[in-house]
Amino acid sequence: MTATYKDLIDTVIKREFGILGRDRMMGILKDLKMEVDAAGLLKSNGATISDLERLLQLLSEKYGAVAVMGCKIAVGRMARESNLELPTILK
Amino acid sequence: MEKLDLNKPVEIAKDIFWVGFDDPNAGFRCNPYVLNDGEETVFFDPGSVPHFPIVLGKVMRATQLERIKHVIVTHQDPDLCSAIPRFEELVEGVGGGFDICTHTRASVLIAHYGTRSPFYRVDANDWKLTLKSGRSLRFIFAPFLHFPGAFMTYDEKSKVLFSGDIFGGLSFDWNLYANEYYAEAMKAFHENYMPSRKILKHTMDKLDALDIEMIAPQHGSIIRKRDVRAYIDILRNLECGEDIFE
């Protein structure tokens, strides 16, 4: 199945629920005005690479390298399998 | 559920204490443990120099320094063993002494911290340590996870598996015991530090034969019996390290 940027962002959210905790991650999403459902899945299907980049940038600014490192490999693999370009912060 | 006081040593199993601390700003927490067996204490992965004052305070509440006879060190990373020379000074100062139980490969590196204690090389001692009471600690070789000489320790009496880095997690949202989100924190750590699924599977398969009551990792959260098999299966199937190049 081909992944989309929504899938990549959903993967980041799921992973960060484990690393940052649900409350911190929901705070990040609120700051970015990204709406998610109760399961933490992005409501919009139109996410882009710039949405993914904004999310990772804010994670980096607020929580540093560990927060980015924790999802970099999983997201990178999914992007590679679907030939999706990654933002610089995930390269 | 009972509210834990993390400012004190927490007894996670009979006579086994978590002596770490909750640093809310750290995504990479460390968990030293103390096991008391009669007059003998075993100290697992004692921690780093910055953590030393807090860990020391908790160790002294969980045991007496002169009772520490064995310090088990799963590998040579500074976060889990750079404080050993400081503990040596204090234990020797009260007339005691301990050996450092580790793999030969790690021992040659740990010596660079300036340790003075003798090494008990687990690979040269039939992969076990028998305490004075007869209690047996079994060492389970976990090669390349993530150090070539890494190992875990299984206490046959309590059935606690002290797993070192294996089963550890990256977590700002830390809990002493794993919660519903811990699997993701654990995957994040292993994807970044472990070499391959094949190597993880090799060690996970060894755990199938063990009756494990609890997994006590050096980073992250403690895994209770009800979740042990699920977490083993997660790591058995996790793509990491060289798998990312495929």
Side-chain angles (χ1 to χ4, degrees):
Chain A
M1 199 175 103
T2 304
T4 65
Y5 284 106
K6 176 193 177 335
D7 297 320
L8 301 193
I9 291 173
D10 285 345
T11 299
V12 173
I13 295 168
K14 184 179 178 190
R15 181 58 57 90
E16 298 296 344
F17 276 7
I19 299 171
L20 298 180
R22 187 181 173 92
D23 291 347
R24 286 190 185 90
M25 189 58 198
M26 293 302 272
I28 291 267
L29 295 168
K30 190 176 176 186
D31 288 349
L32 294 170
K33 297 183 170 45
M34 288 185 179
E35 289 191 72
V36 294
D37 64 17
L41 299 173
L42 208 57
K43 284 184 177 175
S44 166
N45 287 316
T48 64
I49 186 171
S50 66
D51 293 322
L52 180 62
E53 185 166 30
R54 285 193 304 132
L55 175 57
L56 268 300
Q57 287 291 357
L58 191 55
L59 284 170
S60 174
E61 286 167 23
K62 282 203 157 186
Y63 298 103
V66 171
V68 177
M69 183 172 90
C71 57
K72 190 172 187 173
I73 293 174
V75 173
R77 182 187 306 118
M78 187 181 275
R80 192 171 57 249
E81 288 168 359
S82 295
N83 292 316
L84 289 173
E85 188 185 348
L86 284 170
T88 306
I89 194 170
L90 284 175
K91 286 180 180 169
Chain B
M1 186 179 286
E2 183 190 356
K3 176 87 173 151
L4 297 173
D5 183 353
L6 298 175
N7 293 312
K8 297 177 182 173
V10 177
E11 190 168 22
I12 61 168
K14 187 176 184 324
D15 297 327
I16 298 175
F17 297 87
W18 170 84
V19 290
F21 70 104
D22 180 15
D23 176 356
N25 297 316
F28 216 24
R29 286 172 174 77
C30 298
N31 299 317
Y33 303 96
V34 157
L35 180 157
N36 291 329
D37 188 63
E39 298 295 300
E40 206 170 8
T41 289
V42 182
F43 192 8
F44 294 86
D45 290 336
S48 68
V49 171
H51 293 181
F52 171 73
I54 296 174
V55 174
L56 172 64
K58 291 190 177 179
V59 169
M60 291 179 73
R61 295 171 81 164
T63 187
Q64 295 168 22
L65 290 177
E66 62 268 31
R67 291 185 176 181
I68 300 175
K69 300 300 180 191
H70 310 283
V71 172
I72 295 180
V73 185
T74 53
H75 58 296
Q76 75 290 340
D77 281 356
D79 56 331
L80 65 100
C81 69
S82 59
I84 290 176
R86 304 210 176 189
F87 280 105
E88 284 176 335
E89 286 179 12
L90 293 175
V91 172
E92 289 170 9
V94 292
F98 54 74
D99 54 33
I100 301 170
C101 306
T102 196
H103 193 282
T104 300
R105 291 170 181 160
S107 69
V108 298
L109 298 167
I110 290 167
H112 287 278
Y113 291 112
T115 58
R116 299 187 298 268
S117 303
F119 284 103
Y120 179 91
R121 292 181 294 122
V122 298
D123 49 314
N125 283 280
D126 200 23
W127 298 94
K128 68 181 179 188
L129 172 68
T130 304
L131 304 183
K132 284 178 187 164
S133 69
R135 187 172 187 163
S136 180
L137 302 181
R138 203 188 321 169
F139 302 114
I140 298 163
F141 193 27
F144 302 101
L145 295 177
H146 58 89
F147 179 66
F151 64 94
M152 299 181 277
T153 306
Y154 179 69
D155 171 26
E156 293 189 346
K157 183 175 180 181
S158 67
K159 304 185 191 309
V160 173
L161 179 71
F162 298 91
S163 61
D165 273 2
I166 307 162
F167 298 98
L170 299 178
S171 48
F172 287 85
D173 185 40
W174 179 82
N175 295 281
L176 182 58
Y177 292 99
N179 65 14
E180 63 195 289
Y181 301 115
Y182 186 67
E184 292 297 319
M186 184 181 76
K187 287 180 197 172
F189 175 73
H190 288 73
E191 283 175 352
N192 279 280
Y193 287 93
M194 298 304 177
S196 77
R197 178 171 57 183
K198 181 180 175 185
I199 289 171
L200 264 177
K201 182 180 182 304
H202 173 261
T203 293
M204 291 304 108
D205 289 349
K206 292 182 187 178
L207 300 183
D208 287 341
L210 292 181
D211 178 12
I212 299 170
E213 191 66 32
M214 177 181 286
I215 297 175
Q218 193 264 128
H219 296 294
S221 302
I222 294 168
I223 297 167
R224 296 178 194 268
K225 185 181 180 73
R226 62 171 185 258
D227 297 322
V228 161
R229 292 299 149 194
Y231 277 90
I232 289 172
D233 285 340
I234 289 170
L235 290 190
R236 200 194 316 268
N237 295 301
L238 185 69
E239 292 187 339
C240 57
E242 70 166 1
D243 303 319
I244 68 174
F245 300 117
E246 288 178 357

